[in-house]
Amino acid sequence: PDYENIVGPLGKIADNIFLTIFRMKMAEKVGVDSSLPKDDFQGLMELTAALNARYSDRLQVQQIAQEVLRACFPKWLPPQFAFLFAGPFPKFSSRMNAWATALCGVWLMGECEINDCEIDGGGIGEKQGVLVKRCRFMEESGCASVCVNSCKIPTQAFFADDMGLPLTMTPDYETGECQFSFGLTPTCEGEFDAKNTPCLSRCPSLGGMRKWHSRADSGRLTSPNTASPCSLMDD
C-alpha cells in the first residue's frame, strides 16, 4: 500500500501531529533521535531499530515501549479511565477504545476498520474490535521480534495495566493484518504462538534481532548484526 496517501479520519495534519508527538516521546525514552524530520515515518522506524538494537533483554524493550505509550497521555488519564469507565462499563470502554484506535492509529498502522471480535467468556463483542488491514509498522519493520516486543506485548500491557482493559492483538505475518480485540485477555497459548512465529523472510537482520533479544536469557551477548539466522524465538 501507498501508506503516505492513506490518511486517518481526522486528516493528514492530525496524523502528522500524532506521529510527531509519539516520535518525540519515544526519542526521550530511547535517548537518541533520528536526523529525519519529526513527521517522517522512517525516523520513527530508525528509533525503533535503535531501541531494539540497544537492549538485548526483550523485557527492557517491552518496558520502554510501554513507557512511551504512557508518556503520550496525561498521567491522570489512564488511572481515571480505569476507575471511571473500564471497571464499571467494560463493554462501553472496549467500544470507545476500538473507536479511538481506528480514529487515531491510521498514521502508525494503515487502514483500519471497526469489527466484532471474540471477548472473555467466549462471547462476541459488537464493535469491540479493530482490524488493521495491512499494518505499516509490521511491514516496514520487517521483523516479527520487533513487532512482538515493541508493539504487541507493550500495547497489551499498557491497556491492561494502565487503562484497566484487557486487549489481545493478533498479528498475521502472512497477510500483514492485525486484529485488536478489546475485552479479550491474552492467553498463554496465543502469546506462545506469537513469540514463536518463524522469522520473516524479509527480516532486515536475517533473524539476528530475535537471537539478540534471546541472548540475555542465556548470558551470551552478541551484536544483532552478527547473529546467524534462526527459525524460532528462544525462551
Side-chain angles (χ1 to χ4, degrees):
D2 183 4
Y3 291 110
E4 293 299 327
N5 290 320
I6 297 177
V7 180
L10 298 178
K12 185 66 173 178
I13 294 177
D15 284 351
N16 286 341
I17 292 173
F18 293 145
L19 170 56
T20 299
I21 292 174
F22 192 86
R23 161 89 173 269
M24 292 173 61
K25 298 300 182 181
M26 189 170 184
E28 291 175 4
K29 298 300 180 181
V30 178
V32 297
D33 198 359
S34 167
S35 61
L36 294 174
K38 296 294 184 183
D39 61 353
D40 190 317
F41 192 85
Q42 291 307 313
L44 177 64
M45 298 313 298
E46 289 183 4
L47 268 178
T48 302
L51 169 62
N52 283 269
R54 176 168 290 190
Y55 299 100
S56 64
D57 186 346
R58 68 172 72 95
L59 296 180
Q60 287 182 286
V61 175
Q62 296 164 13
Q63 182 179 10
I64 292 173
Q66 186 174 350
E67 290 175 358
V68 172
L69 292 173
R70 288 174 176 150
C72 292
F73 297 86
K75 290 185 179 180
W76 57 266
L77 195 153
Q80 288 300 311
F81 181 89
F83 178 73
L84 296 175
F85 293 97
F89 309 110
K91 184 178 295 185
F92 171 76
S93 299
S94 294
R95 290 176 178 173
M96 181 189 299
N97 277 277
W99 173 80
T101 299
L103 185 71
C104 304
V106 173
W107 66 271
L108 177 64
M109 302 179 294
E111 188 177 358
C112 303
E113 67 176 21
I114 295 175
N115 62 3
D116 300 340
C117 65
E118 182 183 355
I119 58 175
D120 288 344
I124 299 297
E126 184 178 354
K127 297 183 179 180
Q128 291 184 210
V130 176
L131 177 64
V132 180
K133 295 186 177 181
R134 191 174 181 90
C135 182
R136 181 179 189 179
F137 183 85
M138 182 199 302
E139 183 168 353
E140 298 208 11
S141 71
C143 178
S145 182
V146 170
C147 171
V148 169
N149 295 306
S150 301
C151 184
K152 172 181 164 62
I153 292 179
T155 302
Q156 291 178 168
F158 169 75
F159 277 97
D161 301 342
D162 299 285
M163 302 287 280
L165 193 66
L167 166 67
T168 295
M169 295 167 61
T170 309
D172 186 324
Y173 296 109
E174 293 186 4
T175 65
E177 293 180 345
C178 186
Q179 173 68 45
F180 284 62
S181 300
F182 290 96
L184 180 64
T185 302
T187 64
C188 294
E189 294 81 1
E191 298 305 276
F192 178 84
D193 289 343
K195 293 176 182 178
N196 286 275
T197 298
C199 287
L200 308 183
S201 60
R202 64 181 182 276
C203 178
S205 67
L206 299 178
M209 189 60 69
R210 174 170 287 178
K211 182 68 73 176
W212 170 242
H213 285 156
S214 303
R215 293 294 183 180
D217 299 333
S218 61
R220 301 186 306 274
L221 299 181
T222 61
S223 166
N225 294 326
T226 60
S228 59
C230 60
S231 59
L232 297 175
M233 180 185 294
D234 300 332
D235 285 329

